[in-house]
Amino acid sequence: MTNDTCEIRFLPGAEKALRKIRKSDPGRLPLIDEVLEDVLVNGWILSVHSATIKVLDQQLQIGEIRDLGSGGYRMFFFWHDSSSARTLYITALEKKSKLAGKARVNGFIDAADALRRRHFGDVEERDQ
């Protein structure tokens, strides 16, 4: 990566999950917004060092943004590098308390990988 700058985009499934959180847990939204703003301000390297971002699979380019604190959420994403920024595509938001066990997290990694393949396949088809 040539640039430490991050951009964040929500894919449709993650946008839907955010709307649900807005209705069911509206007090959590400012905390989610704050952690996303921290990633934008601090960039990739500082966010990884502070454990706000955790790389789950380097080869597949999949990670999570952690909404730290009690009752928080984990935001799963895949990333794509360009010369100007690393774009994080949020694929899912899940309450930390529902993510017991490695098998459950592996399901989110697999889903993020499938969405990455579909997203960039669609982009490549449109560019041709």
Side-chain angles (χ1 to χ4, degrees):
M1 182 172 95
T2 59
N3 194 321
D4 186 46
T5 303
C6 290
E7 295 177 357
I8 297 174
R9 297 188 183 155
F10 282 79
L11 295 182
E15 286 179 349
K16 183 178 178 182
L18 199 57
R19 284 192 301 272
K20 282 184 177 181
I21 294 167
R22 186 173 284 122
K23 291 178 184 176
S24 66
D25 192 4
R28 196 75 201 178
L29 285 178
L31 299 171
I32 291 171
D33 288 341
E34 183 179 320
V35 76
L36 294 173
E37 184 65 27
D38 286 349
V39 169
L40 294 174
V41 169
N42 294 333
W44 179 264
I45 294 169
L46 286 177
S47 295
V48 169
H49 285 294
S50 69
T52 304
I53 288 178
K54 180 178 180 186
V55 174
L56 300 174
D57 191 311
Q58 181 70 38
Q59 186 176 11
L60 295 175
Q61 297 182 326
I62 296 171
E64 68 177 341
I65 298 173
R66 295 172 165 213
D67 168 17
L68 301 174
S70 177
Y73 287 81
R74 292 165 73 174
M75 295 168 265
F76 295 91
F77 65 87
F78 62 85
W79 73 81
H80 178 74
D81 293 333
S82 69
S83 60
S84 62
R86 176 167 280 181
T87 304
L88 313 180
Y89 294 88
I90 307 293
T91 60
L93 287 87
E94 188 66 52
K95 200 164 186 68
K96 287 192 290 187
S97 61
K98 293 184 178 182
L99 291 168
K102 188 169 179 78
R104 181 90 168 127
V105 172
N106 284 342
F108 282 96
I109 293 171
D110 293 344
D113 182 45
L115 284 168
R116 181 181 54 82
R117 292 173 190 273
R118 188 175 335 148
H119 180 76
F120 287 112
D122 290 348
V123 170
E124 288 172 5
E125 287 175 13
R126 281 183 273 162
D127 289 346
Q128 293 178 357

